[in-house]
């Protein structure tokens, strides 16, 4: 009898833990933190922190330049600047701008 009660309690505990893990899991379409490229080849930077930061953006064959961005997901390309299609990387430099 005590073994059945212990197994029931264990099953309930495991079920509760599994439910909590499911609630905490990110969605499949959540943007990753940092630099990434979308399926349509658009360069983006998702800053997952709470304060503004300075990042460096590199274009193919050029020196990187600094940009200040706030929290959230940002398109790095300017639609009016055709050269922005050649962004190859971006990375965190320091907190603040």
């Amino acid at each position: 009898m005590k073994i059945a009660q212990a197994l029931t309690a264990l099953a309930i505990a495991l079920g509760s833990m599994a439910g909590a893990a499911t609630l905490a899991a990110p969605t499949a379409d959540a943007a990753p933190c940092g630099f990434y490229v979308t399926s349509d080849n658009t360069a983006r930077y998702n800053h997952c922190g709470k304060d503004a930061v300075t990042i460096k953006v590199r274009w193919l064959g050029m020196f990187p330049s600094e940009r200040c961005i706030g929290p959230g997901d940002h398109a790095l390309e300017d639609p009016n600047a055709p050269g922005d299609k050649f962004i190859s990387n971006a990375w965190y430099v320091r907190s603040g701008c």
Side-chain angles (χ1 to χ4, degrees):
M1 180 72 169
K2 289 188 180 191
I3 294 175
Q5 289 173 338
L7 289 174
T8 302
L10 179 61
I12 291 171
L14 290 174
S16 296
M17 289 177 6
T22 301
L23 292 175
T27 61
D29 47 340
C33 296
F35 175 76
Y36 69 101
V37 178
T38 64
S39 60
D40 65 347
N41 291 323
T42 302
R44 300 190 67 84
Y45 192 94
N46 186 22
H47 173 46
C48 296
K50 296 178 183 174
D51 300 316
V53 296
T54 301
I55 63 170
K56 283 200 177 188
V57 179
R58 180 183 298 278
W59 288 261
L60 289 174
M62 298 180 68
F63 291 106
S65 67
E66 292 187 352
R67 288 193 191 175
C68 176
I69 62 165
D73 193 14
H74 303 272
L76 296 178
E77 300 169 357
D78 178 352
N80 299 318
D84 271 4
K85 284 290 183 191
F86 299 103
I87 292 175
S88 62
N89 200 0
W91 60 94
Y92 169 87
V93 176
R94 66 181 167 275
S95 295
C97 300

